[in-house]
Structure formats: C-alpha cells, structure tokens
Amino acid sequence: MSRIYIFDTTLRDGEQSPGCTMTQSEKLAMAEKLVDLGVDVLEAGFPIASEGDFQAVDAVSRHFPWVEVAALARASTGDVQYAARALEHAKRPRIHTFIATSDIHLKYKLRKSRAQVFDDAVSAVSLARSYTDDVEFSAEDATRTDPDYLEQICWAVVEAGARTVNLPDTVGFSVPEEYKQLISRMVNCLGDRATVSVHCHDDLGLAVANSLAALEAGARQIECTINGIGERAGNAALEEVVMALKVRNDRLPFETKIHSEKLYATSQLLSSFITFGPQPNKAIVGENAFAHEAGIHQDGYLKEPTTYEIMTPASVGVPETRLVLGKHSGRHALKKRAEDLGFSLSPQLLDELYARFTHAADKKKGLRNEEIIALVHDVLDSAPAAEPVSVDSL
Ligand code: KIV
Ligand code: ZN
C-alpha cells in the first residue's frame, strides 16, 4: 500500500488566519500533540513574517529534534537565510520556499515577468540546498498557472535540488478531476526525482476531495491542518483526509502514520487555544459527528451501530456516541436513556414517560439528563401504587 506523508501546517497556514493566533507556549503544546498524533512534517512557522514565528520554529526544532520541522520562506535570499537560521537547531530541517507562478499573481502582486519568477525560484532552491538537503518548493496559485510554464519551473527547481514539489490550489478554485489531471502531468514530468505534494484550500468546500483526487494521480504528500483551519475558508482538514483513507481504504489504498484515535483530543486542544472550535456538524470532530436525534436513526443505531455509523467514535477518540433526546427521538432511545440513568420502567410507564417527553421536547431543542430524571419522577409519582418499577441505581 502506498504511504502518504502528512505535512501539517496548523502552526503556519492555520495560525496565520483570523482568530487563530497562538502564544509560544500554546504552539509548543500544539506541536507536541501533533508529533504524538504522528504527522510526518511539522511546518512550525514563516520566520521572516514575525519574531513570534521565528521563535516558534526555533523552539519546535529544539524540543522535537527527531521531527522533520519545516519553515516557510518566500523565494528570496533574505527569507531563505532567515528560515535557515530559525532551523539552526533542527536535526531534520526542511526549508519550504515558494513563489506565485500564475499570470494574475505575476502581473498584479509580484510585478515580475515569468523569466524573473523562474530565476527567483531556482535561486531560492539552490540557496536553500546550501543549508539542507530537504528543500520543498511551492508554486503558489499552481492551479491558475499555465501548465507548460508550471512544468518548466517544476523541472528546474528539481534540477536545482528540491526534493518535494508542492502544487497548491491556493484559492480553492480547482475541482477534483481537473486537479487530478494537473497533478498527473507533474508526476509524469518529475517521475521519482521528487515527491509531488498537494496543498488545497477550501473556498468551494473541495479541499479534501481535491487532495484525495491528487493521490490517485500520484501525489504522495498532503498538506493539511487540524479542524481545517487556514487562510479564508481554510485548508484540507487533516482528520477528514486521514479518516477517508482509513474508512474507504477499499477505494483509496493509501496509508498514513497518523494515530487516528488521537484526532479528537488534538482537535479539542487546538479549539482551546484559538477563538473558535469546529462547527457542530463538522466531519469527524464536530460535536454532532457521532450524535443521533431522529427516532429512526436512534432505533437503528441501538439495534446495530453500523446502521448509521461508518466508523466508531473510539476510532477517532470521541468518548462515545451521543443519543440526543429531542423532539425527533423515539421510544427506543428514551427507554435506553432511562435505563442508563438507572430506571427500568414497565411498558405502561414507558408509554406515559414517552407522552410527557414528546410534549416537553416539542418546546425545547433537547432534554438534559436532569430533565429526563424529573419526568421519570413525575411519571412514578402519578403511577398507581401497584405499577411495577425497579430502580437499579440512583
Ligand atoms: O496556499 C498556498 O499557496 C500556500 C503556500 C505558501 C504553500 O500556503
Ligand atoms: Zn495555503
């Protein structure tokens, strides 16, 4: 099975997005969690961008010497030198240098010709190689770049010593089939001289789909972030990529070294450091990812979990499946919850409880355990003395 390298950029692309700034100690705690999770490359910052980023790269390099630590640098002498300095204590340093290659970026942002950008890319990679063997080049906005020109640059940077060539969908514009074709072309051009990497943004909600499509075309590194944080709509979510490969290994025969049962804790730690958590219906780590409210779903789930769950909560480290007791819930789930709370009710009492429950649930978004217990007590208080009830525990 082909091995896929997970390049985590939570601390760089993720951290540079609104509401995601982290302190030095938070970055270190996050880095520890990511290392423990099993990421292959940890992009710790963009040293020239801020003193904090420089310090973060330096601190992560010192604390986790056995980890491959990457630092971002524009394709310029100063940036590359600064990234190299930040990585001075890393045992496995990677300099990740980039320049935009699309005409729209060349014309309006860089105001440079294709020839100048070509030269800058090659010079930056050559300089980076004088510090480390492990150099990655990214062609920013690759998906809106003339493919012939992109191919020429990719070939030249590999000649100059880049070991990894990343083709970002910087603005989240591509669609899976199209991205797959682009990656396929570059993989064919570079052969086994370099690892082709993908870095997809989620502006159209396609970051994960595009990343997975690229694997089928021969990409072997995916750049992604926890909870999918990152510029604008974010990056491909690490947890979604990893679980898609795990759950659909029949169609996607690739493996990563991620310990998936640590995904939820990693997501939770990140949420505690930044200003927002994943939306409740976020795949894998959202609050509702393993919650069921509809009666038919709860009934099916209680009979056999695989009816409505394609992976176990334990496989991603979520403590347990949540049966939400709300107005869509059924009798089966209510009975189970009453039992979990220590009450074995006769069918008659359960009928009475269910009637009271649906009445209450109609007015609320969901009932908490204390409210269920109160309803059970109401039912018991109003039951005829002869009605059988056993209380297992209180
Ligand atoms: O989105 C992008 O193009 C990037 C590069 C710097 C890799 O983040
Ligand atoms: Zn990016």
Side-chain angles (χ1 to χ4, degrees), residues 141-211:
D141 207 17
T143 51
R144 294 191 300 170
T145 299
D146 169 15
D148 291 333
Y149 175 59
L150 188 63
E151 200 173 280
Q152 285 161 19
I153 290 215
C154 289
W155 181 262
V157 293
V158 170
E159 282 282 285
R163 273 196 191 163
T164 305
V165 173
N166 183 37
L167 301 161
D169 185 24
T170 302
V171 289
F173 178 69
S174 210
V175 293
E177 199 48 41
E178 177 190 34
Y179 196 50
K180 188 172 166 180
Q181 278 170 20
L182 179 74
I183 299 300
S184 179
R185 179 167 172 178
M186 299 306 146
V187 167
N188 286 334
C189 161
L190 301 176
D192 55 12
R193 302 179 70 226
T195 300
V196 170
S197 165
V198 293
H199 175 116
C200 297
H201 280 268
D202 209 29
D203 301 66
L204 292 175
L206 292 172
V208 171
N210 284 337
S211 304

Side-chain angles (χ1 to χ4, degrees), residues 12-13 199 201 235:
R12 199 279 296 169
D13 210 320
H199 175 116
H201 280 268
N235 288 71

